Amino acid sequence: TEVGAMTLNEIDFTHSEWVLSPERTKANRRHVVPVTSLGIDVLENVPSTCGTHLFSSSFGANPISNYGDAKLELVQMTQLENFRLNDLRDTVGTVMRERLEISSDVIGQVLNHAPEGVTQKHYCPSHSPKDKRKALIKWDRYLDNLVHETKADNIIQFPGVG
């Protein structure tokens, strides 16, 4: 839901970052997400609204909501059973680890997980913006490859997109 409630003032286009305040995260801590070229392209092409929310069904006045309808439509289109919206987040972490060979600690940083273990908590407590950016660039390239180089029968086209 953090993405759904994204506001224009959270995006730093100069540094290509999305900066969430502690109040906006489940972990209740500031989270800086590097935004890759694909993400910047999406954000720059979001239709302008009168309000502050980038993704809205109320002209920016409120964040997008009613994820249930979107989930139901996705399940009907893909015939996925037992699908949860959190499966998207799970998939990102799994693909980053298994296909892109990104370390678990960096994936945790990208997903804003709390550091675990003595090493992360005491000896390596800071999040590395550089490592997060590298991981998200790999993810960006992975998605771009899926869209542009995969056989069309492996891609599900959503209505009204592209």
Side-chain angles (χ1 to χ4, degrees):
T1 59
E2 283 98 348
V3 173
M6 184 184 289
T7 62
L8 189 57
N9 65 353
E10 292 175 335
I11 306 301
D12 179 347
F13 285 99
T14 304
H15 297 102
S16 298
E17 293 177 336
W18 174 28
V19 182
L20 288 99
S21 65
E23 301 80 35
R24 284 265 290 119
T25 68
K26 186 169 117 178
N28 199 32
R29 64 176 168 265
R30 185 175 184 264
H31 185 50
V32 178
V33 181
V35 182
T36 63
S37 58
L38 183 62
I40 291 292
D41 187 49
V42 168
L43 293 172
E44 287 177 339
N45 287 292
V46 171
S48 62
T49 62
C50 299
T52 59
H53 296 281
L54 289 172
F55 305 107
S56 175
S57 57
S58 59
F59 302 103
N62 299 302
I64 197 165
S65 59
N66 200 0
Y67 293 98
D69 288 347
K71 176 190 166 187
L72 181 61
E73 188 173 337
L74 179 64
V75 167
Q76 290 171 345
M77 289 171 39
T78 61
Q79 299 176 356
L80 293 171
E81 294 181 25
N82 303 315
F83 174 78
R84 302 169 305 124
L85 289 174
N86 202 55
D87 290 342
L88 298 171
R89 183 182 175 101
D90 295 346
T91 300
V92 170
T94 301
V95 169
M96 284 184 157
R97 182 74 203 119
E98 293 179 0
R99 295 191 181 172
L100 304 179
E101 299 179 346
I102 297 168
S103 71
S104 296
D105 61 317
V106 173
I107 294 168
Q109 291 175 26
V110 168
L111 299 176
N112 200 23
H113 290 165
E116 293 182 13
V118 174
T119 303
Q120 280 188 320
K121 287 182 182 178
H122 300 288
Y123 301 109
C124 305
S126 64
H127 293 278
S128 168
K130 190 166 110 179
D131 290 341
K132 287 197 301 189
R133 183 168 301 281
K134 283 181 186 177
L136 289 168
I137 288 170
K138 280 186 170 184
W139 177 251
D140 180 290
R141 290 178 182 152
Y142 176 80
L143 291 178
D144 189 59
N145 187 53
L146 276 179
V147 171
H148 294 105
E149 297 185 23
T150 303
K151 294 180 183 175
D153 62 342
N154 292 340
I155 301 292
I156 298 169
Q157 184 66 40
F158 293 103
V161 177

